[in-house]
Amino acid sequence: MTSLFLTNTIKPLSKMVAITLSLGWLTAGSVEAASFTFSKIVDTNTPIPGGGGNFTFLNTPVIDNGIVAFGGQGSNQQAIYTNAGGMLQTVVDTNTRVPFSDVNFSSLDPGAIDQGNIVFVGLGNKPNPLGGTDVYGIYTVIGGVLERL
């Protein structure tokens, strides 16, 4: 007797739920496709600022409020660049001295950007007769000032 009661109660309830869900979809607001505008920032036909030649490799960019930061390479040079308002600039490159070190950066990888301030991972190779000693760290460029975290 109990199973007959549950069967008779559940069937009408499931129909009511199905009808309610169907009506919900019909009365929901209209669905519109989002629109996006894509702009080319840089590609392998773009000249490297202050460098010789075009970019040959580009790292994944980081973006904040229309400012794009990315790692790029070409013609024996590597750097982190920004593009703000269509102006491409070098932030830090392999000619930049690693803070608290006597070597330059040899590898750069942007991690984040916030209001034009950049956090990145940097590596400098410091030759050592007893074995290579790398200078590896997390760095910031805040207000144009390079610092180690």
Side-chain angles (χ1 to χ4, degrees):
M1 190 81 165
T2 303
S3 64
L4 181 61
F5 173 75
L6 289 175
T7 304
N8 290 339
T9 304
I10 292 174
K11 281 187 178 178
L13 183 59
S14 63
K15 285 182 183 176
M16 189 174 9
V17 169
I19 291 170
T20 302
L21 289 175
S22 297
L23 290 175
W25 283 105
L26 292 174
T27 60
S30 64
V31 177
E32 295 180 22
S35 66
F36 297 95
T37 302
F38 292 94
S39 301
K40 179 180 87 166
I41 304 299
V42 63
D43 64 14
T44 55
N45 293 316
T46 305
I48 296 173
N54 295 345
F55 287 103
T56 57
F57 180 80
L58 301 164
N59 284 345
T60 304
V62 291
I63 304 168
D64 179 57
N65 289 324
I67 300 173
V68 179
F70 63 95
Q73 295 178 351
S75 301
N76 296 323
Q77 51 194 336
Q78 180 183 7
I80 294 176
Y81 302 91
T82 58
N83 184 311
M87 192 161 87
L88 192 59
Q89 295 180 338
T90 304
V91 176
V92 60
D93 64 15
T94 53
N95 294 316
T96 305
R97 178 86 39 187
V98 176
F100 305 105
S101 170
D102 59 351
V103 297
N104 291 348
F105 285 107
S106 60
S107 177
L108 302 157
D109 186 27
I113 185 169
D114 182 37
Q115 298 178 4
N117 301 312
I118 299 171
V119 176
F120 67 96
V121 174
L123 171 69
N125 295 100
K126 184 175 184 177
N128 184 329
L130 301 175
T133 302
D134 291 333
V135 179
Y136 187 74
I138 299 173
Y139 303 90
T140 60
V141 177
I142 299 175
V145 178
L146 173 63
E147 294 187 30
R148 180 181 69 188
L149 290 182

